[in-house]
Amino acid sequence: MIHAGPDKVHIDTRFTRYRKDGSVIGGFDSIYVVTLEDGHWGVKIRSSYAP
C-alpha cells in the first residue's frame, strides 16, 4: 500500500504473465485504486506500465 484511508487504498503491484509451458511473457508494474462504495470494496481503476 502506498496510500490508505478509511474508504480508499492505493496499491503498488508487480505481476508476471506466463505461457502455458510456464515460461515468462513479462513482468508489469501497476497501481490499483480500491474504494469502499455502498458497503463493498472493489477496484475503481488500474494504471499499468506495460510496454
Side-chain angles (χ1 to χ4, degrees), residues 2-51:
I2 54 177
H3 296 287
D7 59 356
K8 182 168 34 174
V9 180
H10 294 204
I11 303 168
D12 186 10
T13 63
R14 179 162 181 85
F15 64 93
T16 305
R17 293 193 183 248
Y18 297 90
R19 295 181 183 87
K20 280 185 172 183
D21 67 5
S23 63
V24 174
I25 296 171
F28 309 97
D29 297 316
S30 293
I31 294 175
Y32 287 82
V33 176
V34 180
T35 59
L36 176 62
E37 295 181 15
D38 299 322
H40 301 281
W41 286 95
V43 175
K44 186 72 166 185
I45 191 167
R46 180 194 73 174
S47 176
S48 292
Y49 301 99

